[in-house]
Amino acid sequence: MASLKELIFKPKWQHKNGEVRARSVALDTDPRLVAALPEIARTDPEAEVRLAAVRRLDDLLPLMRVAADDDAEAVRETATRIYRSMLSGEHERSPAIAERLEIVPRLEDTGLIEYLASHGREAEIRAAAIAGIDRPGTLARLAEAESDRDLRLKIIERVDQEATLERLAERFRTSDKRAHKACLKRAHEIGGRVEEDQEADAEALCLAVEALSRSGDPRDEKAERLQELDERWQALPEDVRTPYATRHDGARRIIAHLLTGETSGGKAAAEARALHLEIEGAIADADRLTERSPLGTIQGVEDRLASLAKAASTEDPDTAGDLAAARDRLATLHRTVLEQQPIDGRLARLSEEADRLDQRRVDAARLAKLQERWDQAWSARKPTLHDEGLRRRFEERLAALESAVASQDARREEALERVDSRMEKLESELEEGHLATAVKAKQAVLDDLALIGKHPKIDDVAFKGRVAAARGRLREIRDWQHWANNKVRTNLCEEAEALPAAGLHPDALTARLKELRAQWKELADGERLPGDPANRMPAPGLYRRFQAACNEAFEPAKGFFEKRAEVREQHLDELRGLAERIEAAAAAEIEDALAAERLVRDGRRSMRQLNEIPPKHRSKMARRLREAANALDKRLDDVFAVVERRKQRIIDEVSGLDPENNLEEAINGAKDAQRRWKDAGHLRRNREQALWKAFRAECDRIFGRLKERDAAEKAEADARLDELDKIIEAAVACAEQATADPDAAESTLQRLRGDWRAVGASHRGKERQFEQQASAVEAAIRAARNERRKQGRRDLLQLVDRCLAAEARWFDGDAGTPLPETDLPETMPTDLAGRWERAKGDAPDDLEALAAAAETEAGALCIAFEFLAGVDSPAEAQQARMDYQVARLSDHMSGTERAPRETEIDSLLARWAACGPLAPGAAASAHERLDRALQAL
C-alpha cells in the first residue's frame, strides 16, 4: 500500500521536470518504474526520458515499436542497436534462443535480417535469418563468411545464379571440398536455364576460364577442365557469345600457351586483354573487402594482386594506378585488422613461412617439421580470434602443400614408369615421319624428364643417346616439313594479295585476315620444336611479303573502323554523362525517388551496352556505373525506409479502427488514410505491393462492413417496398369490393392506410400510386353508397305510394275492399310500417281533419323539395315559398347549424312517409310536385 508521502508527492520518474524524470528513469530501481519502462519509452514527451527508458528495456517488442515509430532519431537508433544485439545474442540481456527463433521468421526489415544472418551468435539464429534472404550476392557473401560448414551448404542450396556459384566454387576449391562440390553440383542443376539467363552463363564461363588460367592444377586436369568449359561455351548461341568472345578467347589462349609450354614473352593483344580483365576482377574483389573480412581472404587477394602486378605488361596508366591503389588499400586494411586484436608473432611468422614455401621444392619431412613447430607455438598460449584465423589459414596452406607433395611424388613415379613407352612412341613417330605427333611425343618425354629430375635411369648413357638421336631426326623431319609448308605460305600470300579486289565488308575482311594469319601461325607452330625460341619465324622473306599484303588489304577498312571508333566514343560520352547524373543524384538530397530509381535502372541497364564503347574503357565504365548505381540505390534505401515507416504507421492506424462499434468514424478514418497513403511516398515494387496488400486488406475490412450494412439496409428497403406493393394490390382489390359492400371496403381502406403508415417507407412513386388507388376506392365507396341511398329512396317512395293507394279506399268508401297481395320488404321504417298497418284497416273517425293536416304538411314538404331542387312552386304557393325562404334565411342569420343536403333530403322523405292520409286529389297534386322536384334533385 502506498505511503502518505507517496500519495501526496509523486515519484521522481513522474516529475513534471524532464531532466528529473530522465535521471530517475536511468538510475532508480523502483519496481513500479521498471514495470512502466515500456510505456515511458513510448509515450513520454521528452526524448531524453524516452532514451533513458530504452537503454533499460529488456523486452524486444517494445524496443522494436520504439525503433519504428519514435520521432527522435537518437531514440530510434539506440532502440535499433539494442534490439539488434539482443536478437543476435550479442547483448547480455538477450532473451532465450527459443523466444528469438519465434521472432526472426516474422521480421520484414531487410537490413536487420542480413545483420542477424552475419552476426547471429547461434547457428540457429543465422539459419532462421538466412531463410528470409533471397539475393544471390548477399547469400554468396554469407556463405563465404559462415563458419558452420553444414549451414554453409544450406546457404549454397539457396543460391540460384550460376555465375555466383562458379565464383564460390573457386573460393572453396582448397578450403572446403564439400562446399566446392556443392557449388559445382548446384551450378550444374540450374545450368539449363531459360534464354534470358544465357548472358549470365557466358560471363560465368569467362570467370571459370580466367580462374583456370591462374590455377595450379596439373596439366592433364587443366586440359580436361578446359575441354569441358569449351563444350559449354560452344553450346551457347553465337549472339550471346559475341560480347564476351574477346575476354573468353584471351583467357583461353593463356591456358593453351601454358599447356603447350609457350613462354609469356610473345603474348598477343587478346592475351594482354585477358590479363587486363583478370586484373580488373582482382581489383573488384579487393574493393568488396572490409574490416570484417577474414585475414586469410585479405591475404589471398593481396597475393593475387602481387602476382598480377609482376605478370602485368600493360602500359595503361589507369589500370596500373587502379592496381597500385587496390594494393595500398589492402595493405592498410590488413594492418587495421591486425591492430584490432592481439597477434601472436610466432604463429604469424610460421603462417608466413608456410605461405612462402614453393610446392615444387618442398618435401614431406620439411612439412612435418613445420607442423611440429606450429603445434608447440599453439599450445604455448590461449588462442585468440585472430589466432584462429591464422590457424585455419595455416592448416589450409599446409594441407595444400601436403597434397601437392603427395601428388608430385605420385606423378614422378608415374613418369618413371611411362618414360620408356613415351620414348618408344617418339622413335616410332620419327620413323613414320609424322612431325606433329613426333613433336607432341617429344614434349611428353621432356615433361616426364622434368618431372623425374635426378635419377640413375635418366643419367644412363644409352638413354641419353636415344634422346639425342631423336632430337636430330626431329630436326631433319622439320626441315622437310618447312620445304613443303613454303608452298602453302606462298598460296596464303597470294590470297592476301587478292583481298583488296574482293570487295568484302570491313568486318568480313578482318575476319578473313584473321583466318589467314591463324593459318600462317599454325604452319609456324607446326614447325616449332621443343626448345625453339618463341619468336622464331620460319621463311622470313615470305613472312614479310605476307605481312605487306595483309597491311595493304586492311588499309581501305581503316576508315570504317575509325568511324566505328568515333561512334563508340560518342556512346562512351553518353555513358559518362549518365554516370555523372547518377553520381550527382547519389551525392545530393533525393527529392524525387521515382526519378532516382529510374536513374538506377538506366545505369544498370546501360551495362548491357558496354560492347558499344571502346574495349579499353569497358571495365572501368562498368565499375563506375555499378558503383554509382549502388551508391544511389543505397541512398534510396534510406528514403524508402522513411516512406515504409510512414506507410506502416498508416496501416497500424487503419488496423486500430473498429467498424463494429463506430462504423462512420472507421469509414472516415479509412478514407483519410487512403488520401495520406498517396502522399506518403513511393517504394520499390515488391515492397510497395506487400504494404499495399496489407493496407488494402485493412481498408476492405472496414468498407466490407459498410457494404454489409448497405446490403442489409437495401434488403430491408426492398422488403418494405414489397410490403407497399402488397398494400397497393390490396387497395386495387378493395376498389372491387366497394361496389358490393362499401362499409367493408371503407374499413379495409382504413386498415390499409394504417398498414402503410406502419411500414414507414418513403417512396414517392409508390405513395402516389397508393393514393391514386385509395382515391379510386373512396370514389367507388361514394358511388356505391349513393346508389344504395337512391335505391332506398325509391323503395321508400314506392312504399309511400302503396300506403296512399291503401288510404285512398277510405275516401272512396271502399275500405272493406281487401288490398291486393304485394311483396313488401321484411324491414320497413317504423312510422311507415305503422301507417301501412293502419291503412289496411277501417278509416279513422277524424279522417277529414287528418286529411286537412296531411295536405298542409304535403304542401310544406313540396315547397321544401322545390326549394332544394331549385324548381318553381305553383302560383298559389308563391307566398308560402317566400315565407319558407325567409324562415331559412332567419335561421341562417341566427347561427342555426343546418344539416347536410343529403341528410335534409332523407329527413324530408321521412316526413313524407309519415304524411297521410291524403285525399286522392291532394295526393295526386302533391305527388306530381314531389316527382318533379326529385327528378331535378
Side-chain angles (χ1 to χ4, degrees), residues 411-573:
R411 291 199 300 273
R412 187 166 182 266
E413 293 298 328
E414 293 175 357
L416 278 171
E417 293 178 359
R418 68 171 176 254
V419 68
D420 288 331
S421 61
R422 286 189 170 181
M423 192 64 199
E424 292 174 358
K425 179 175 177 59
L426 171 60
E427 293 169 344
S428 174
E429 295 295 339
L430 291 173
E431 185 67 25
E432 296 292 334
H434 299 156
L435 178 61
T437 54
V439 168
K440 292 181 179 179
K442 174 66 180 301
Q443 184 61 53
V445 170
L446 294 178
D447 291 342
D448 284 347
L449 295 178
L451 189 60
I452 295 171
K454 291 290 184 177
H455 194 275
K457 180 176 181 178
I458 305 304
D459 294 335
D460 183 69
V461 176
F463 187 84
K464 288 183 177 181
R466 292 175 65 188
V467 174
R471 185 183 300 113
R473 177 59 179 160
L474 190 60
R475 291 184 179 280
E476 181 182 352
I477 296 175
R478 193 270 307 275
D479 292 340
W480 282 103
Q481 184 66 49
H482 173 70
W483 178 79
N485 287 344
N486 281 344
K487 296 181 179 180
V488 179
R489 291 187 179 96
T490 302
N491 293 335
L492 293 177
C493 291
E494 292 173 354
E495 290 187 30
E497 290 166 351
L499 284 177
L504 296 177
H505 185 274
D507 285 333
L509 175 64
T510 304
R512 183 56 184 158
L513 287 174
K514 287 182 179 180
E515 291 176 2
L516 295 176
R517 291 182 186 275
Q519 294 177 29
W520 189 280
K521 186 175 181 299
E522 184 179 356
L523 293 175
D525 291 343
E527 297 179 20
R528 185 174 290 112
L529 300 181
D532 285 351
N535 58 356
R536 178 184 181 277
M537 182 57 64
L542 288 174
Y543 177 72
R544 286 191 294 273
R545 176 186 173 187
F546 178 72
Q547 286 293 93
C550 290
N551 293 336
E552 183 181 356
F554 184 73
E555 189 66 28
K558 284 185 178 180
F560 170 81
F561 290 109
E562 290 174 356
K563 182 61 177 178
R564 185 162 69 180
E566 181 182 348
V567 172
R568 285 180 172 179
E569 287 293 338
Q570 293 176 357
H571 192 66
L572 176 62
D573 291 339

Side-chain angles (χ1 to χ4, degrees), residues 854-869:
E855 185 175 356
T856 300
E857 175 69 11
L861 289 173
C862 287
I863 288 174
F865 275 117
E866 288 168 346
F867 175 78
L868 290 176

Side-chain angles (χ1 to χ4, degrees), residues 315-335:
E315 297 179 359
D316 186 352
D318 292 337
T319 302
D322 292 343
L323 188 60
R327 295 185 66 188
D328 293 342
R329 177 181 175 276
L330 279 191
T332 303
L333 180 62
H334 197 161
R335 288 193 299 270

Side-chain angles (χ1 to χ4, degrees), residues 326-362:
R327 295 185 66 188
D328 293 342
R329 177 181 175 276
L330 279 191
T332 303
L333 180 62
H334 197 161
R335 288 193 299 270
T336 302
V337 174
L338 289 177
E339 291 171 357
Q340 292 176 352
Q341 49 189 323
I343 302 174
D344 187 333
R346 188 178 176 187
L347 292 177
R349 287 191 297 274
L350 290 173
S351 177
E352 292 174 0
E353 182 180 344
D355 291 339
R356 289 195 299 269
L357 289 178
D358 187 348
Q359 65 181 16
R360 296 172 297 180
R361 296 180 176 85
V362 72

